Amino acid sequence: MRNQIFQKKKNKDGSYYIDPKTNDFVMELIEEIKVEIPLQEAIENKIKEIDRNTETLIFRGFEYNGLTFSLSTNAQINWSNLPNLPEQIFPLTILSKNDEPYSLKYSEVMNFYLTAVNGKNKHLQSGNLVKQEILKLKNSEEIINFKDDRPTA
């Protein structure tokens, strides 16, 4: 990691240079200092970043019968209770992430539930694999520069 020190750029006459387009001072780099982050701190920071990416992927939801359903914390609680509901309340209308109604039949409950669980588990497992890659790296700079290439955008 590097700390950079900037100062206002000066004209030859000693006045500060102002960008005519933005009307702001123009800055120039005068010094760059390499700062070494302790290995354990770099690992902890990168693991937090991976966990945030994993959470983002989970909260995108899961696909079931062509619709995307939520995996928010509340949705996960609701989906985990589906197998315990009595058959008499089915079909049960549930909403996709886009508020599209879906009529869930009793015969689909376990498939729906397991699809949700597998959707979440897939991202947890991929996050664990990325963390294992981090732990193989030897220094802070490698860890800081490591990119979690799972699509989170």
Side-chain angles (χ1 to χ4, degrees):
M1 186 170 164
R2 300 186 187 285
N3 281 347
Q4 297 177 330
I5 300 172
F6 292 88
Q7 71 179 13
K8 294 177 189 171
K9 185 175 182 178
K10 290 187 177 183
N11 293 313
K12 290 180 182 176
D13 67 1
S15 63
Y16 293 116
Y17 180 76
I18 296 178
D19 185 327
K21 290 181 183 176
T22 64
N23 210 25
D24 287 331
F25 292 107
V26 174
M27 305 299 283
E28 62 184 346
L29 178 66
I30 59 168
E31 188 175 359
E32 191 168 55
I33 305 166
K34 185 175 180 179
V35 178
E36 187 66 33
I37 294 178
L39 182 63
Q40 191 58 38
E41 183 179 338
I43 291 170
E44 289 170 6
N45 289 341
K46 190 56 73 168
I47 286 176
K48 287 177 187 174
E49 178 185 316
I50 293 165
D51 287 343
R52 283 190 304 271
N53 291 348
T54 300
E55 183 177 85
T56 298
L57 289 167
I58 290 170
F59 285 173
R60 283 185 178 168
F62 69 99
E63 297 288 321
Y64 184 80
N65 279 355
L67 296 174
T68 302
F69 291 90
S70 177
L71 276 175
S72 68
T73 303
N74 285 341
Q76 290 178 51
I77 292 168
N78 290 335
W79 304 149
S80 70
N81 287 320
L82 280 174
N84 301 322
L85 296 176
E87 185 175 356
Q88 295 83 348
I89 68 165
F90 290 90
L92 181 66
T93 300
I94 56 177
L95 296 177
S96 73
K97 283 187 76 166
N98 295 326
D99 293 326
E100 299 163 288
Y102 181 81
S103 182
L104 184 68
K105 299 178 189 104
Y106 184 73
S107 60
E108 296 179 276
V109 168
M110 285 310 294
N111 191 31
F112 181 88
Y113 169 72
L114 292 173
T115 302
V117 169
N118 289 334
K120 178 181 179 179
N121 190 50
K122 171 182 70 173
H123 298 304
L124 292 173
Q125 294 304 317
S126 70
N128 286 336
L129 291 174
V130 174
K131 289 177 187 178
Q132 289 173 15
E133 292 299 313
I134 292 298
L135 297 175
K136 293 177 187 175
L137 300 176
K138 303 292 185 223
N139 62 57
S140 297
E141 192 167 344
E142 287 179 330
I143 292 168
I144 290 166
N145 293 326
F146 181 89
K147 300 291 181 219
D148 180 352
D149 61 1
R150 298 175 298 158
T152 55

